[in-house]
Amino acid sequence: MHKTTARLFAAIEDRYPGEAVTSKVAAKMNVADNRVTNWKARGISFEGAVQAEVVFGIPAAWIMYGQQPLQTDQWPFDKWVRKEEITALSEADLGYVAHSIRAALNDISRAQGSKSAIKRSS
């Protein structure tokens, strides 16, 4: 199997056990089975890698080049808030949360700027 397709299938299997099958991948990506079979021999096209990123959430750069680590979970707030809680919010509620985060980041930035200004004047 071509290395690009092998990376794709390994990542699919890692994220969705049992789904790294030619017919299932083709169906999910809305392409013909023979296209996926061709990818196995020749490598996935750039367009196919981008489509796989959309469908499976696997970075196209990882599929094509293997230079970007495959990150199965990039949610940094699990200690405080589960990702599922955020994704279940309405758009209005998401806007409220985003505004609150932005305000907190601005406060932190201002506080750090004040500390820098104090150090420079000393």
Side-chain angles (χ1 to χ4, degrees), residues 94-115:
L94 281 172
Y96 173 77
V97 169
H99 176 75
S100 299
I101 291 170
R102 173 54 46 212
L105 291 172
N106 288 340
D107 290 345
I108 291 167
S109 179
R110 277 193 295 277
Q112 289 174 341
S114 296
K115 289 177 188 175

Side-chain angles (χ1 to χ4, degrees), residues 45-116:
S45 65
F46 178 76
E47 293 80 10
V50 170
Q51 186 176 359
E53 181 171 352
V54 171
V55 172
F56 296 107
I58 300 162
W62 168 255
I63 297 168
M64 296 302 292
Y65 308 110
Q67 296 176 348
Q68 176 176 311
L70 179 61
Q71 297 176 352
T72 57
D73 190 345
Q74 298 179 6
W75 184 250
F77 306 107
D78 274 334
K79 183 176 176 180
W80 304 282
V81 180
R82 288 186 2 258
K83 185 177 182 179
E84 295 77 19
E85 292 176 282
I86 297 297
T87 57
L89 294 174
S90 70
E91 189 170 341
D93 288 338
L94 281 172
Y96 173 77
V97 169
H99 176 75
S100 299
I101 291 170
R102 173 54 46 212
L105 291 172
N106 288 340
D107 290 345
I108 291 167
S109 179
R110 277 193 295 277
Q112 289 174 341
S114 296
K115 289 177 188 175
S116 297

Side-chain angles (χ1 to χ4, degrees), residues 22-45:
T22 299
S23 59
K24 290 182 178 185
V25 171
K28 281 273 206 185
M29 293 182 66
N30 199 28
V31 298
D33 286 8
N34 67 338
R35 180 175 289 178
V36 177
T37 300
N38 287 338
W39 291 343
K40 287 180 174 182
R42 299 182 185 125
I44 190 169
S45 65

